[in-house]
């Protein structure tokens, strides 16, 4: 009987560790995140533009690791929100993402960004609210459901040295992307370089560019790809 309770106790500790564990953000990202406003537990940069960005983190990754991406977008005048997911399980963030969209009526159009398993909630939101979106950016991930019938712009950015999400496997889901989609691979990049954190799994490939450079290239690609739709929304208030 004592052995039984010992085993139960060990299992409880292990489960608690898995639930609470996350890949910690770098200090540089935490410093930027400290400049963001907390609305509930979500991190906000409020902008003058009526275009908003939602950034969904990868699984078990500190959402604040995406603060530099958010800052780069905010510097262009946009509102950027990084949702806090319970136990850092971004794959289950669809409902919360929709709640954020509903609670920010000043935003006329949204662009969704999902990294790794963050591609799941952005896919689901796109499927249900495509009329409220400019488009979707998939970072080291794929459209988890079929979006090919939607009149929606999408960009998928992968990393040359991604050791977490196999690029060949992800390519098999290209048919799920909207017809107006672009696929771009960043040379020298790796999986975790789309944010600012250090994974303890040891599976990722070695990047030949810094995470800052990878973040900057990523945002430049996103802003360039969606520039026409962003301008149209900004000037016409669509």
């Amino acid at each position: 009987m004592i052995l039984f309770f010992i085993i139960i106790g060990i299992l409880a500790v292990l489960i608690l560790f898995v639930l609470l564990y996350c890949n910690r953000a770098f200090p540089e990202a935490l410093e930027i995140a400290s400049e963001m406003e907390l609305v509930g537990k979500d991190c906000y940069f409020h902008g003058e533009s009526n275009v908003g960005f939602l950034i969904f983190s990868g699984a078990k990754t500190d959402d604040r690791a995406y603060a530099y991406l958010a800052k780069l977008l905010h510097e262009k005048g946009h509102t950027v929100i990084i949702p806090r997911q319970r136990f850092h399980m971004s794959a289950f963030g669809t409902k919360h993402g929709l709640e954020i969209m509903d609670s920010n009526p000043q935003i006329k159009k949204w662009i969704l960004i999902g990294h790794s398993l963050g591609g799941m909630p952005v896919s689901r939101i796109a499927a249900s609210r495509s009329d409220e979106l400019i488009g979707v950016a998939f970072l080291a991930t794929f459209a988890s459901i079929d979006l090919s019938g939607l009149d929606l712009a999408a960009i998928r950015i992968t990393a040359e040295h991604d050791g977490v999400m196999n690029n060949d496997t992800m390519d098999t889901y290209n048919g799920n992307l909207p017809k107006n989609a672009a696929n771009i691979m960043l040379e020298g990049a790796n999986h975790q370089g789309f944010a600012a954190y250090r994974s303890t799994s040891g599976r990722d490939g070695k990047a030949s560019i810094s995470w800052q450079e990878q973040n900057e290239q990523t945002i430049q690609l996103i802003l360039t790809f969606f520039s026409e739709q962003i301008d149209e929304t900004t000037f016409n208030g669509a």
Side-chain angles (χ1 to χ4, degrees), residues 125-185:
I125 293 173
S128 64
R129 297 278 190 93
S130 62
D131 59 323
E132 299 177 34
L133 307 181
I134 285 176
V136 183
F138 297 94
L139 309 183
T141 188
F142 51 88
S144 60
I145 57 179
D146 188 3
L147 306 177
S148 61
L150 299 180
D151 183 17
L152 190 68
I155 183 171
R156 190 172 75 97
I157 306 173
T158 55
E160 180 183 14
H161 303 302
D162 193 329
V164 178
M165 297 284 276
N166 182 276
N167 286 321
D168 291 335
T169 300
M170 287 192 292
D171 285 345
T172 65
Y173 291 90
N174 277 345
N176 283 351
L177 289 170
K179 293 178 182 178
N180 183 18
N183 277 287
I184 299 173
M185 176 179 284

Side-chain angles (χ1 to χ4, degrees), residues 32-47 52-55 63-64 67 70-71 74 78-84 96-107 110:
I32 296 170
S34 70
E35 303 169 8
M36 303 180 75
E37 179 184 348
L38 279 179
V39 178
K41 293 185 177 181
D42 304 319
C43 293
Y44 274 67
F45 271 133
H46 293 283
F53 288 80
L54 270 177
I55 302 176
D63 48 282
R64 295 171 296 178
K71 180 180 180 181
H74 177 60
H78 304 300
T79 292
V80 190
I81 305 167
I82 309 174
R84 172 70 60 86
H96 186 45
L98 293 171
E99 291 171 346
I100 290 173
M101 292 171 66
D102 290 337
S103 63
N104 287 275
Q106 78 281 9
I107 302 300
W110 295 88

Side-chain angles (χ1 to χ4, degrees), residues 2-237:
I2 294 177
L3 179 60
F4 171 78
F5 284 112
I6 290 175
I7 293 173
I8 293 298
I10 292 173
L11 288 175
V13 170
L14 288 174
I15 292 171
L16 187 62
F17 173 78
V18 170
L19 289 176
L20 297 180
Y21 165 81
C22 72
N23 296 309
R24 299 295 180 184
F26 289 148
E28 299 95 324
L30 293 175
E31 183 176 353
I32 296 170
S34 70
E35 303 169 8
M36 303 180 75
E37 179 184 348
L38 279 179
V39 178
K41 293 185 177 181
D42 304 319
C43 293
Y44 274 67
F45 271 133
H46 293 283
E48 299 298 325
S49 166
N50 56 10
V51 174
F53 288 80
L54 270 177
I55 302 176
F56 288 84
S57 62
K60 304 305 290 181
T61 298
D62 188 339
D63 48 282
R64 295 171 296 178
Y66 299 81
Y68 187 47
L69 289 176
K71 180 180 180 181
L72 293 170
L73 291 167
H74 177 60
E75 287 174 348
K76 299 300 181 180
H78 304 300
T79 292
V80 190
I81 305 167
I82 309 174
R84 172 70 60 86
Q85 308 298 344
R86 183 173 297 179
F87 301 121
H88 302 285
M89 297 296 288
S90 59
F92 304 105
T94 304
K95 180 181 178 182
H96 186 45
L98 293 171
E99 291 171 346
I100 290 173
M101 292 171 66
D102 290 337
S103 63
N104 287 275
Q106 78 281 9
I107 302 300
K108 302 306 179 184
K109 290 287 184 178
W110 295 88
I111 294 175
L112 309 179
I113 300 175
H115 174 225
S116 195
L117 286 182
M120 294 179 68
V122 302
S123 297
R124 293 169 181 152
I125 293 173
S128 64
R129 297 278 190 93
S130 62
D131 59 323
E132 299 177 34
L133 307 181
I134 285 176
V136 183
F138 297 94
L139 309 183
T141 188
F142 51 88
S144 60
I145 57 179
D146 188 3
L147 306 177
S148 61
L150 299 180
D151 183 17
L152 190 68
I155 183 171
R156 190 172 75 97
I157 306 173
T158 55
E160 180 183 14
H161 303 302
D162 193 329
V164 178
M165 297 284 276
N166 182 276
N167 286 321
D168 291 335
T169 300
M170 287 192 292
D171 285 345
T172 65
Y173 291 90
N174 277 345
N176 283 351
L177 289 170
K179 293 178 182 178
N180 183 18
N183 277 287
I184 299 173
M185 176 179 284
L186 284 184
E187 295 184 0
N190 67 359
H191 188 84
Q192 62 199 48
F194 285 111
Y197 68 94
R198 180 174 290 107
S199 172
T200 58
S201 71
R203 292 188 295 144
D204 205 2
K206 183 175 177 57
S208 58
I209 59 175
S210 68
W211 65 264
Q212 292 96 330
E213 185 176 353
Q214 186 169 334
N215 276 208
E216 290 159 7
Q217 288 188 31
T218 298
I219 293 304
Q220 185 58 55
L221 286 170
I222 291 172
L223 290 174
T224 298
F225 182 76
F226 293 115
S227 61
E228 184 175 340
Q229 295 97 323
I230 290 174
D231 288 345
E232 181 180 348
T233 302
T234 300
F235 293 114
N236 296 338

